[in-house]
Amino acid sequence: ILNVEQSPQSLHVQEGDSTNFTCSFPSSNFYALHWYRWETAKSPEALFVMTLNGDEKKKGRISATLNTKEGYSYLYIKGSQPEDSATYLCAFLLLETSGSRLTFGEGTQLTVNP
Amino acid sequence: DTGVSQNPRHKITKRGQNVTFRCDPISEHNRLYWYRQTLGQGPEFLTYFQNEAQLEKSRLLSDRFSAERPKGSFSTLEIQRTEQGDSAMYLCASSLALTGRETQYFGPGTRLLVL
């Protein structure tokens, strides 16, 4: 059974604060790591697909890093805004089942207070 | 194209009834996935199709669950004899698979409540 863990489970920050979350995953048989942002009543929105150790990706104020050797990824949000409030999910793709199942963590629920 | 769509968005049913959900993927996408999310958990994989072929099913997909993608376009997920434990958000996603690492684009989900 694959174990993908995210921390913290929830986070409350003030507008303008920078924040980061962690996703831990098995370091063996790594194929890809996906990050999604899911706002209530909307579709989960794809943020990044990360594949190589040392990958760093950026989309506006959001960036992510990947360490496949130790099995973790960080998601950073610079200068949080209320519209960043959402659940952030990471999902691991195992080499042996490439192209099929994503194994998700439980998510980090971010609330940004104005 | 406006993305992946799912219908209905909400469904309330009584225990023992059958329900069917529909997913319309992004038109050129060859892979279609079904996931289920229960409260406080991340989405869990149920099954996926490549074109019309169902290539993998999770052990979560009991005999009461059946999924089809008859012409390699839209897909349906049917739950027979629903149980209260089936209450969840059912998510559909699609991708254009080349390496297997491609982004899966999700629909808004169908929220099922079994009374």
Side-chain angles (χ1 to χ4, degrees), chain A residues 1 9 31-32 34 36 38 41-44 46 49 51 89 93 97-102 104-106, chain B residues 9 31 33 35 37 40-43 45 48 56-58 89 91 99-104 106-108:
Chain A
I1 296 177
Q9 190 172 18
Y31 198 53
H34 295 235
Y36 286 88
W38 195 2
K42 294 187 177 179
S43 305
V49 179
T51 57
L89 292 161
L93 191 60
T97 59
S98 61
S100 59
R101 61 178 68 200
L102 288 175
F104 282 86
E106 294 181 354
Chain B
R9 293 289 304 272
R31 284 195 178 167
Y33 308 80
Y35 292 86
Q37 190 229 10
Q41 303 295 315
F45 172 82
Y48 94 98
E56 189 175 352
K57 293 197 294 186
S58 162
M89 172 77 85
L91 290 163
T99 67
R101 292 182 169 124
E102 293 75 21
T103 297
Q104 295 182 21
F106 281 82

Side-chain angles (χ1 to χ4, degrees), chain B residues 18-21 63-68 76-80:
Chain B
N18 299 344
V19 294
T20 300
F21 310 141
D63 291 345
R64 297 183 297 105
F65 287 71
S66 62
E68 293 183 345
T76 57
L77 178 68
E78 181 183 15
I79 310 175
Q80 296 183 326

Side-chain angles (χ1 to χ4, degrees), chain A residues 33-81:
Chain A
L33 188 85
H34 295 235
W35 279 101
Y36 286 88
R37 177 174 175 273
W38 195 2
E39 287 182 72
T40 304
K42 294 187 177 179
S43 305
E45 174 195 355
L47 291 174
F48 306 112
V49 179
M50 309 188 78
T51 57
L52 297 175
N53 184 47
D55 258 356
E56 291 188 25
K57 297 207 172 180
K58 188 175 180 180
K59 185 177 182 179
R61 293 179 291 99
I62 305 177
S63 60
T65 61
L66 179 69
N67 183 323
T68 60
K69 295 187 186 307
E70 296 182 36
Y72 64 84
S73 176
Y74 293 139
L75 189 80
Y76 300 91
I77 302 179
K78 184 177 178 182
S80 303
Q81 300 296 309

